[in-house]
Amino acid sequence: MPDATGLELLARELGGDVLGTEHAHGKGAIDVAPGSIRNVLQTLRGTGFSALVSVHGLDYFPQEPRLGVQYELLNMSQPDRVTVRLRVPIGEPVVPSVTPDWPTADHQEREIYDMFGVVFEGHPDLRRILMPEDYEGHPQRRDFPIGGEPILFTHNERTTPRWFQ
Amino acid sequence: MTGTTGGLSEYRRMEESVTLAETRVTEGERELLTLNIGPHHPATHGVLRLLVTLDGEILRDVKPIIGYVHTGIEKTAEQKSYWKAIPVVERMDYLSYYFNAMAYCGAVETLLEVDVPKRAQYLRVIHMELNRIMSHLVWLGTSALDLGAISVWWYCFREREQLLDLFEMSSGQRMHTRFFQIGGVAEDIPTGWVDMVRKFTAIMPERAETYGHLLSRNEIFVQRLRDVCPLPEDELLALGVTGPLLRATGNPWDLRKAMPYSSYEDFDFKIPVGTKGDNYDRYAVRLAEIAQSCRIIDQALDGLPEGPWITGDRKVALPPRDELATSMEALIHHFKLVTEGMRVPAGEVYFPIEAPRGELACFVRSDGSSKPARVHMRDPSFVNLQATAPMVEGHLLADMIATLAMLDPVLGGVDR
C-alpha cells in the first residue's frame, strides 16, 4: 500500500488532474474530476498500476455531488493498491467510459449505470445488466424505496394486464 | 431458424430488441443460427443465459445475459446493522460463504481498526481453506458431469459431505454458517473437531490424486480439454480475470502470497500454475490447489494458538454469557449491540481476499451510523464471466460447454 508520502508523489505525477488525496486505513485514494478520469488512469498505468480490479458506484445522499464512482487499481509487480475516486452531480451524472482502455470495466460500468444511473460516455454497450430491461429507476440510490415490489405472476397478467399498477 | 445472406433473420432481430449489443460476426459466414442456451440449462451452472450465434458448429458470438437471480443483496445489506448484514452477504456466492463473510468482516474490521486475535485468524484460515476445497469439489464434480463423467460427481460429493459435516460441527450449519463475526469467529471449535479435520486432510490429497487419475488418464476427457479455448495472460489481465484462470497461464498471482491477510504469511504453501492457459491447465491448477489447501490446514492446526477467538472490544463483540448475570456494563453492551448494533467510524474501505474463483473484495462505506451506507462485492465470477466470449469465439459449441465448466462461474455471485 503506498504510504502517505508515496501517495503525494503519485498525485504530483498526475499534476493538475488531482483534486485531493486521502490516506486512510493504510491505503491511498486520489480524487479527480470526472472529465480527466481516462487520462489519470492511463498515467497511473504508466507508473505500474496496470490492473483495474474493480469499478464501483456509490451514492453520497444527501451530500452533493451525490454520485460517486471509484476505480481500484492494482500494481501486480510491486503489490500495491490505490483508489481513484470521482463525484458527479445527480442532475448530470456523466462520466467518460474507461472501457476502451480497460475492457474489464465493461460489465462493471453497466452495473453502475443500472444501479445508480451514472451514464458512461463512450461505453460500447451501455444498458442494464442485472435489472430487467424495462425497469424504471436505479435501485441502489439511497432515496430509492425498498419493499413493495410487485411479484409478477403470469396467470394474473393474462386475465388482468398490469394488475399490479 | 437461419439467417439470409448478409442480413439478420427475423428471430435475430427480435433478440436484438432484447440485447442491443451488436453481433460481432467475422467475415465469411454464410448462414448464421441464433441459439438460446439457458437460463435453465444444466450446463450453464446456474441461471445463466447465453445467446450464441453459430456458423455451422462454430461459435461466432456469445452474449452472456445475466440478472436472473439478482436479489438485491447489496441493497438489503444497507438496511441492516453491521452484524446483521453478515448472513445476507454470505448468500451471494453460495459456494464460498466463508470467503464472503471474510471479505465483509475484514472490511468492517479495517474501518473499526479492531484487532482480530491470532486464534480467530487461524480458525478463519482453516475454515476458508476447507471452503476452498468444498468449492473446488463442487466445481470438479459438476464439470466432469458436463463432460460426461458421472462417477466423479459422486466421489466429489462424498468428500463434500464430510466437509459440510465439519462445518456443521463447528458452527451448527452446513451452508451459510455465519461463523465469522466482526472481530473474530462466533465460537471456539468443539472438542474433537481438530481430529476430524486431520482425518479429512490426511485422506483428501490422496483422493484428489485419485480423481486426477480418473480424469487425466481418460482419453475422452483430455481431448475435450487439452488445447481447447486458451486465452493469453495479457488478455486475461485486461479483462480483469484473476484466480485459477489467470494462474493457468503461468502468472502466479495469488493474494494469499502477494498481499497476505488473516495470517496467511505464517504458512508454507505453493501456488500451482499452468503453462498454456487452456482448459486442461485450468482444470489441473484447481485440482492441485486442493492438496495445497490441505497443507495450509495442517499447518494451521499444528500452530493453532490458544487464547480468545473473538476480540475483547465490548463495543464490537458480544460479552460472554456468564458476565451478563454479574456485570452491569456487560448487560448494557449486550443490549446496545443486539438492538442498535455497533457504530462504525465514517470511511470507505476495499478489502480483497483470494476466493476460490479469484479476487473477492468487499467495499464498505460507513457514514458513522450503525448501518453500512454501501456494501459492494467485487465478485470474481461477475468479472471473469466477461472472458467467456473471447475464450470461445471461433471454437466449437461443445467446447463452450467445457470452457464454461472450467470458467466456474457461480451465478449467485454474478447476480448478487
Side-chain angles (χ1 to χ4, degrees), chain B residues 392-405:
Chain B
V392 299
E393 266 165 31
H395 291 82
L396 295 171
L397 177 62
D399 288 343
M400 190 198 73
I401 301 299
T403 308
L404 204 63

Side-chain angles (χ1 to χ4, degrees), chain A residues 1 22 24-25 27 45 50-61 63 70 72 74-77 79-81 83 85 87 101-108 110-112 115-116 124-127 129-131 133 138-146, chain B residues 17-22 63-68 70 72-76 78-79 110-113 237-242 246 251 253 255 258-259 346-350 352 359 363 365 367 371-378 382-383 385-386 414-416:
Chain A
M1 314 277 157
E22 190 192 339
H25 308 295
K27 181 142 163 287
R45 178 185 261 173
S50 56
L52 180 65
V53 281
S54 176
V55 185
H56 42 256
L58 57 164
D59 184 356
Y60 289 93
F61 180 80
Q63 302 165 28
Q70 301 200 350
E72 285 292 333
L74 170 67
N75 185 342
M76 280 182 164
S77 47
D80 204 356
R81 283 175 195 274
T83 314
R85 308 187 294 198
R87 299 273 288 266
D101 306 325
W102 311 80
T104 176
D106 185 350
H107 277 193
Q108 306 188 48
R110 277 177 65 188
E111 190 195 335
I112 300 170
M115 294 297 165
F116 293 95
D125 179 27
L126 193 67
R127 59 199 162 87
I129 187 166
L130 294 178
M131 303 305 287
E133 294 276 332
H138 301 286
Q140 281 281 353
R141 286 189 179 174
R142 295 286 277 164
D143 53 359
F144 191 91
I146 59 155
Chain B
S17 70
V18 181
T19 57
L20 302 169
E22 254 178 59
K63 276 179 207 154
I65 299 168
I66 57 173
Y68 290 95
H70 174 65
I73 289 178
E74 291 177 1
K75 184 79 176 174
T76 311
E78 286 175 15
Q79 319 298 329
T110 315
L111 281 171
L112 286 164
E113 295 190 340
L237 285 173
L239 288 164
V241 176
T242 43
L246 180 63
N251 184 333
W253 180 256
L255 285 172
M259 301 164 120
E348 293 164 359
V349 72
Y350 178 84
E359 175 172 327
F363 173 81
R365 172 176 171 253
D367 54 5
K371 289 175 183 175
R374 169 84 168 124
V375 177
H376 173 73
M377 274 283 178
R378 187 263 189 217
F382 180 71
V383 182
L385 198 65
Q386 297 183 80
V414 172
D415 291 344
R416 283 157 288 154

Side-chain angles (χ1 to χ4, degrees), chain B residues 117 242 263 297 312 413:
Chain B
T242 43
S263 294
I297 295 165

Side-chain angles (χ1 to χ4, degrees), chain A residues 10-144:
Chain A
L10 207 59
R12 191 193 282 176
E13 202 141 321
L14 295 168
D17 291 332
V18 179
L19 300 179
T21 54
E22 190 192 339
H23 196 268
H25 308 295
K27 181 142 163 287
I30 301 171
D31 293 308
V32 300
S36 59
I37 184 65
R38 283 185 70 171
N39 271 336
V40 168
L41 292 193
Q42 284 300 6
T43 316
L44 286 172
R45 178 185 261 173
T47 61
F49 290 95
S50 56
L52 180 65
V53 281
S54 176
V55 185
H56 42 256
L58 57 164
D59 184 356
Y60 289 93
F61 180 80
Q63 302 165 28
E64 272 296 334
R66 248 182 74 178
L67 301 176
V69 182
Q70 301 200 350
Y71 303 79
E72 285 292 333
L73 287 171
L74 170 67
N75 185 342
M76 280 182 164
S77 47
Q78 291 161 323
D80 204 356
R81 283 175 195 274
V82 71
T83 314
V84 179
R85 308 187 294 198
L86 58 83
R87 299 273 288 266
V88 281
I90 198 129
E92 204 203 346
V94 184
V95 180
S97 169
V98 297
T99 306
D101 306 325
W102 311 80
T104 176
D106 185 350
H107 277 193
Q108 306 188 48
E109 282 183 346
R110 277 177 65 188
E111 190 195 335
I112 300 170
Y113 165 73
D114 194 355
M115 294 297 165
F116 293 95
V118 177
V119 177
F120 290 92
E121 259 181 356
H123 190 285
D125 179 27
L126 193 67
R127 59 199 162 87
R128 290 190 179 274
I129 187 166
L130 294 178
M131 303 305 287
E133 294 276 332
D134 56 352
Y135 195 81
E136 281 172 28
H138 301 286
Q140 281 281 353
R141 286 189 179 174
R142 295 286 277 164
D143 53 359
F144 191 91

